Amino acid sequence: SAVISQKPSRDICQRGTSLTIQCQVDSQVTMMFWYRQQPGQSLTLIATANQGSEATYESGFVIDKFPISRPNLTFSTLTVSNMSPEDSSIYLCSVGGQGDEKLFFGSGTQLSVL
Amino acid sequence: GENVEQHPSTLSVQEGDSAVIKCTYSDSASNYFPWYKQELGKRPQLIIDIRSNVGEKKDQRIAVTLNKTAKHFSLHITETQPEDSAVYFCAASRAGGYALNFGKGTSLLVTP
């Protein structure tokens, strides 16, 4: 499976600020997704990061709040904008290969908003 | 969209016993069903998966069964060990790069 590097691993941020999370993969992957995992909860899909075009967002998530970039097949960023304490969660990128449904996860970014 | 239900939410077994976790899904177009294990503070790890053209798959102490007609699938862990203690998530998706929809998770505790 691909090696997925995600950073930062954790951060403590002030209300109203923004944080950009990076996801780097050691090989080209077709699919990249961003998930959120609130404390003690399941994984919720935020969006699909599309290479060369705008991300596809799930219901309840909007581009102004969670802008995503995917400049190539190995890298993506997720920004959490204008943060509030409700954004405190673990954010995970996940990747999959062409024709293969298996998804693997990055190590996650634990975000705490004060 | 797809809705995945998972039961039970918590499960406690004694070491050596078997554990069974069950999931149901709603989208008849779903045909890929993985299971993830997440230990505290770590990322979810894929432990086994099954596709809709197969009814059962086994990997050592872990097995998954699928009943596509009834839209449910189950994870079976035999001869449980304390290191099996973790949160287990089932998921479902369509083939071809669709995102996974996850169940709410089962916290498994294996006591010595």
Side-chain angles (χ1 to χ4, degrees), chain A residues 35 37 42 101-103 105, chain B residues 36 38 49 51 100 103:
Chain A
Y35 283 85
Q37 188 173 30
S42 184
E101 302 94 339
K102 294 184 191 295
L103 288 193
F105 286 87
Chain B
Y36 288 82
Q38 187 176 33
D49 58 9
R51 290 169 176 79
L100 292 171

Side-chain angles (χ1 to χ4, degrees), chain A residues 31 97-102, chain B residues 27 29-33 51-52 92-100:
Chain A
M31 307 304 299
Q98 177 116 26
D100 185 350
E101 302 94 339
K102 294 184 191 295
Chain B
D27 185 356
S30 290
N31 57 11
Y32 175 65
F33 308 94
R51 290 169 176 79
S52 61
S93 77
R94 302 179 181 184
Y98 285 84
L100 292 171

